[in-house]
């Protein structure tokens, strides 16, 4: 028996115990990815080129901090906000499906300015003629409101949101929602001076370049309080107050990638993923002892340990379980079984040559080790490349696959070996019987090599021809850029009517595909541009409000180009 036998037993017990402790109960310890629980994933591009050069160095880090403050006030449970690359911010919002509201809160710059409206008639006349004086800007009030019309404003503000301390929702005398502002000591002093020196003049309140209102200063305001009005709904006023409290973004941002999964689709994905994992694993558990008898039963015990280790590792590393992650888990189960099959077949060969059970087990593990190591290391390297080159769901697949390979090696080479040693020591005359579909095999594979060469070349030729003929249809939205929307209707909808509605919205060449059973009334719509709002409008025209957005993938050109580059490098390094 292996001199390290006791240490191996202790290690197995410790790892299994630790994994169970970390993963139980799974519902509380395993985080689900957005594709399983529903939610939004956004990738923002920080437009540092639009701010002064001296402010660019840490602009992205400051954007991350401001967005984190906003999301915390928004009330999202366990969000993830992190810097990605040089000037990008990755955001995950579990459970959030109100796409437009979330993007408004995250993406609004919230640069607040107070500017005195020019009453110089000569300058105003020039501006009306299209000759805007230097140092001024000519703007319209957003949505009407106090002082409705176009206003001539100096580019320099008398007060900015930097001195803002609080922002809250209130109501004016007409019951309209407003945002009430309070400034710090320095801001209150400035506001006091401005209102005292400019009684009778208009003071424009400008947010992100839009004039929301321009009330006339009736009296001195010494208490450092102001308000923003602009025909807000209560929710719009609350969201505006939220972003103002959290602070302005130091640089403008734009959404270059969006992925949204509705809660219904998330539940369906969980059910289908669990079923696939359960039945796939069940078939393996039935086949192994059915074909390899005792060796197969030992392999099943090793698989149980493998599953415990994988789940425990996911919980310990706080990795989110995604749908591709479930696929990676099932694939690594196959790799674990493959290792046990190799070991069992090697043991069979050694037993056939007349060796005792203990000698056959030792030789079988020794001879199978190199093949198991090579295959698992190759797959592990691929998972590492996928993790660093991939994004979103691909990372989830890579994490589960990588963890699975390590757990697979341990369970097949250590756990099962300990069990074999334990049984063989207590039964020196052990006979490891197994089923055999073929007797002595002596297939002359090289005799048919010319046929195999020809068939392989023909298959490759057909594949390449099909690839070239399909062109861009070979690539998903991730690589081409554009929008993919999965919509579920409550009543039957014809694809022709949906296509016509999309055309009316200005979407020239949409791809419409029925998803699942016809009775499910679900469609996947792909367009070349990011235009989800138009697709929603078309769905409303066809089915009024009787539909639900189940999934949204929006990928801008910069992201699709970056993904192409990463994919090519990933293929290169994996092949190398």
């Amino acid at each position: 028996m292996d001199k390290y036998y006791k240490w191996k037993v202790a290690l197995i017990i410790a790892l299994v115990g630790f994994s169970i402790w970390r993963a139980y109960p799974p519902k509380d310890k395993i985080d689900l990815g957005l594709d399983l629980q529903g939610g939004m994933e956004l990738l923002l591009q920080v437009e540092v080129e639009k701010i002064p050069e001296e402010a660019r160095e840490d602009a992205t880090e400051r954007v991350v901090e401001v967005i984190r403050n906003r999301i915390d006030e928004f009330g999202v449970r366990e969000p993830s906000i992190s810097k990605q690359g040089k000037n990008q911010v990755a955001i995950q919002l579990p459970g959030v499906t109100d796409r437009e509201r979330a993007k408004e809160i995250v993406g609004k710059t919230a640069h607040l300015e107070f500017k005195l409206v020019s009453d110089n008639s000569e300058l105003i006349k020039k501006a009306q003629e299209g000759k805007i004086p230097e140092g001024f800007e000519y703007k319209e009030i957003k949505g009407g409101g106090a002082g409705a019309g176009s206003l001539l404003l100096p580019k320099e503000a008398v007060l900015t949101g930097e001195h803002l301390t609080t922002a809250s929702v209130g109501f004016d005398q007409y019951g309209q929602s407003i945002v009430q502002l309070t400034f710090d000591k320095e801001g209150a002093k400035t506001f006091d001076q401005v209102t005292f020196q400019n009684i009778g003049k208009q003071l424009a309140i400008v947010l992100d370049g839009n004039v929301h209102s321009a009330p006339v200063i009736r009296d001195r305001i010494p208490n450092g309080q102001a308000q923003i009005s602009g025909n807000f709904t209560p929710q719009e006023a609350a969201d505006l107050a939220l972003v103002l409290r959290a602070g302005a973004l130091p640089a403008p941002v734009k959404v270059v990638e969006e992925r949204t999964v509705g809660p219904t689709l998330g539940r369906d994905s969980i059910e289908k993923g669990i079923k696939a994992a359960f039945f796939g694993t069940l078939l393996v558990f039935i086949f192994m002892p059915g074909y390899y008898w005792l060796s197969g039963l030992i392999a099943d015990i090793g698989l149980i340990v493998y599953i415990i280790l994988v789940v425990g590792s996911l919980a310990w590393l706080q990795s989110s379980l995604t749908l591709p992650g479930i696929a990676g888990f099932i694939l690594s189960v196959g790799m674990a079984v493959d290792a046990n099959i190799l070991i069992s077949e090697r043991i069979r060969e050694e037993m056939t040559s007349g060796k005792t059970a203990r000698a056959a087990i030792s030789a079988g593990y020794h001879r199978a080790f190199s093949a198991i190591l090579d295959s698992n290391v190759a797959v592990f390297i691929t998972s590492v490349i996928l993790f660093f080159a991939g994004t979103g769901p691909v990372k989830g697949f890579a994490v589960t696959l990588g963890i699975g390979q390590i757990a697979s090696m341990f369970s097949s080479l250590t756990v099962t070996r300990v069990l074999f040693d334990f049984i063989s020591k207590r039964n020196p005359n052990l006979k490891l019987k197994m089923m055999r579909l073929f007797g002595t095999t002596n297939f002359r594979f090289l005799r048919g090599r010319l046929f195999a060469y020809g068939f392989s070349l023909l298959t490759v030729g057909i594949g390449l021809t099909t690839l070239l003929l399909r062109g861009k249809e070979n690539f998903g939205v991730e690589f081409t850029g554009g929008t993919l929307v999965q919509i579920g209707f409550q009543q039957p909808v014809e694809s022709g009517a949906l296509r016509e509605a999309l055309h009316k919205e200005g979407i020239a060449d949409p791809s419409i595909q029925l998803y699942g059973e016809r009775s499910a009334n679900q469609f996947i719509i792909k367009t070349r541009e990011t235009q989800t709002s138009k697709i929603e409008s078309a769905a409303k025209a066809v089915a009024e409000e009787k539909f639900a957005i189940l999934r949204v993938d929006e990928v801008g050109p910069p992201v699709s180009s970056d993904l192409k580059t990463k994919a090519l490098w990933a293929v290169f390094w994996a092949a190398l």
Side-chain angles (χ1 to χ4, degrees), residues 65-264:
E65 195 60 37
V66 171
I67 290 177
R68 182 173 286 114
N69 292 337
R70 293 182 181 182
I71 297 301
D72 287 345
E73 290 215 28
F74 191 36
V76 179
R77 180 177 175 270
E78 297 182 355
S80 172
I81 303 103
S82 60
K83 180 181 177 182
Q84 181 170 299
K86 187 177 180 181
N87 294 317
Q88 290 183 334
V89 179
I91 304 170
Q92 291 187 342
L93 306 175
V96 175
T97 54
D98 191 340
R99 298 173 42 258
E100 296 305 323
R101 186 184 177 203
K103 287 198 291 184
E104 181 74 10
I105 288 174
V106 168
K108 185 185 284 293
T109 305
H111 182 54
L112 180 65
E113 298 173 299
F114 290 81
K115 297 183 177 183
L116 287 168
V117 179
S118 174
D119 56 2
N120 187 314
S121 58
E122 186 176 337
L123 295 179
I124 293 173
K125 186 177 180 181
K126 284 184 179 180
Q128 290 172 341
E129 293 172 352
K131 301 174 183 179
I132 301 174
E134 188 176 349
F136 288 85
E137 52 190 1
Y138 198 53
K139 290 182 174 291
E140 289 186 2
I141 293 183
K142 184 179 180 181
S150 297
L151 305 173
L152 184 64
L153 308 174
K155 289 186 177 180
E156 187 175 345
V158 295
L159 184 64
T160 68
E162 292 180 11
H163 299 288
L164 193 67
T165 57
T166 61
S168 58
V169 180
F171 298 91
D172 61 17
Q173 64 268 34
Y174 303 108
Q176 290 289 322
S177 298
I178 59 173
V179 178
Q180 297 173 325
L181 311 174
T182 303
F183 297 101
D184 60 18
K185 187 176 180 180
E186 186 179 344
K189 182 179 178 181
T190 303
F191 199 59
D192 180 26
Q193 291 175 348
V194 169
T195 54
F196 177 66
Q197 296 170 1
N198 296 279
I199 293 175
K201 293 185 178 181
Q202 284 181 277
L203 182 66
I205 302 174
V206 184
L207 181 66
D208 292 341
N210 296 312
V211 181
H212 279 265
S213 60
V216 176
I217 301 173
R218 302 294 183 190
D219 201 354
R220 178 180 182 178
I221 305 176
N223 58 3
Q225 294 185 341
Q227 66 181 42
I228 304 175
S229 58
N231 296 326
F232 300 118
T233 65
Q235 182 171 295
E236 288 172 342
D239 290 346
L240 178 55
L242 183 155
V243 297
L244 288 173
R245 284 195 302 273
L249 293 176
V253 297
K254 65 177 179 180
V255 179
V256 292
E257 183 178 3
E258 175 197 344
R259 301 183 189 279
T260 303
V261 177
T264 303

Side-chain angles (χ1 to χ4, degrees), residues 313-423:
S313 298
L314 287 174
W316 178 48
L317 297 173
Q318 296 182 337
S319 298
S320 296
L321 182 63
T322 63
L323 198 58
I326 294 176
F329 168 77
I330 297 171
L331 179 60
S332 57
V333 166
M335 294 291 293
V337 171
D338 179 60
N340 284 294
I341 289 174
L342 280 173
I343 292 168
S344 297
E345 291 295 338
R346 290 297 189 186
I347 291 174
R348 186 211 298 271
E349 291 175 5
E350 299 300 327
M351 292 284 290
T352 304
S353 67
K355 291 183 178 179
T356 63
R358 290 187 65 181
I361 290 168
S362 179
Y365 273 91
H366 179 73
R367 294 182 61 188
F369 177 78
S370 60
I372 295 171
L373 180 66
D374 289 347
S375 61
N376 279 274
V377 168
V379 175
F380 182 77
I381 291 172
T382 302
S383 68
V384 172
I385 293 171
L386 284 174
F387 180 81
F388 286 104
T391 59
V394 176
K395 284 184 180 288
F397 174 81
V399 168
T400 312
L401 183 62
I403 291 172
Q405 293 313 298
I406 297 172
S408 168
M409 287 273 290
F410 181 77
S411 65
S412 60
L413 294 176
T414 302
V415 175
T416 57
R417 179 63 188 272
V418 166
L419 291 171
F420 270 121
D421 286 346
F422 177 81
I423 294 172

Side-chain angles (χ1 to χ4, degrees), residues 438-482:
F438 302 99
T440 303
T441 55
N442 186 23
F443 297 113
R444 301 182 65 182
F445 290 103
L446 292 179
R447 176 182 290 179
R449 65 187 183 280
L450 295 178
F451 171 78
Y453 295 155
F455 182 77
S456 298
L457 287 172
L458 178 63
T459 305
V460 171
I462 293 173
L464 288 174
T465 303
T466 306
L467 186 71
L468 293 173
L469 289 175
R470 282 173 55 85
K472 287 188 176 181
E473 292 183 17
N474 292 297
F475 303 102
V477 171
E478 294 88 350
F479 293 107
T480 61

Side-chain angles (χ1 to χ4, degrees), residues 479-490:
F479 293 107
T480 61
T483 303
L484 182 151
V485 178
Q486 182 176 342
I487 302 181
F489 293 95
Q490 296 179 16

Side-chain angles (χ1 to χ4, degrees), residues 264-265 268 485-493 498 513-515 519-525 535 539 543-551:
T264 303
L265 187 61
D268 291 345
V485 178
Q486 182 176 342
I487 302 181
F489 293 95
Q490 296 179 16
Q491 57 192 21
V493 170
L498 185 57
Q513 177 184 351
L514 184 67
Y515 183 80
S519 57
N521 298 318
Q522 293 186 13
F523 292 88
I524 288 181
I525 302 171
I535 295 175
E544 297 178 353
E545 299 292 335
K546 298 178 181 179
F547 71 93
I549 301 293
L550 303 177
R551 173 186 166 201

